[in-house]
Amino acid sequence: MYYSLVETARENGLNPFEYLSWIFTHAPNLGKPGYVSVIEDFLPGSAKIPPKVFIPKPKGTEPEKYAWEED
């Protein structure tokens, strides 16, 4: 189970250590005021995940436009 959480975090641009720390800190308090209210908020695409959990992207890594894209 832990391996799947780590790999899911990596695939979604999250720092696995920070992601697991955040989950294990907030999971026991699920539903309490000031904490995550539903289990879906733990998923990698959730807006509830704090910014410190994401891996910063280096500058200049924006994808180039393709020929069919308009300006």
Side-chain angles (χ1 to χ4, degrees), residues 55-67:
I55 297 174
K57 295 181 181 176
K59 293 181 181 177
T61 59
E62 296 297 321
E64 296 180 19
K65 289 188 176 183
Y66 295 102

Side-chain angles (χ1 to χ4, degrees), residues 18-67:
E18 292 291 336
Y19 180 60
L20 291 175
S21 297
W22 181 74
I23 287 176
F24 294 145
T25 301
H26 287 81
N29 300 309
L30 184 66
K32 292 181 182 176
Y35 291 94
V36 174
S37 58
V38 293
I39 197 77
E40 287 81 16
D41 291 340
F42 289 121
L43 297 176
S46 172
K48 301 282 183 173
I49 297 176
K52 72 173 190 168
V53 175
F54 290 91
I55 297 174
K57 295 181 181 176
K59 293 181 181 177
T61 59
E62 296 297 321
E64 296 180 19
K65 289 188 176 183
Y66 295 102

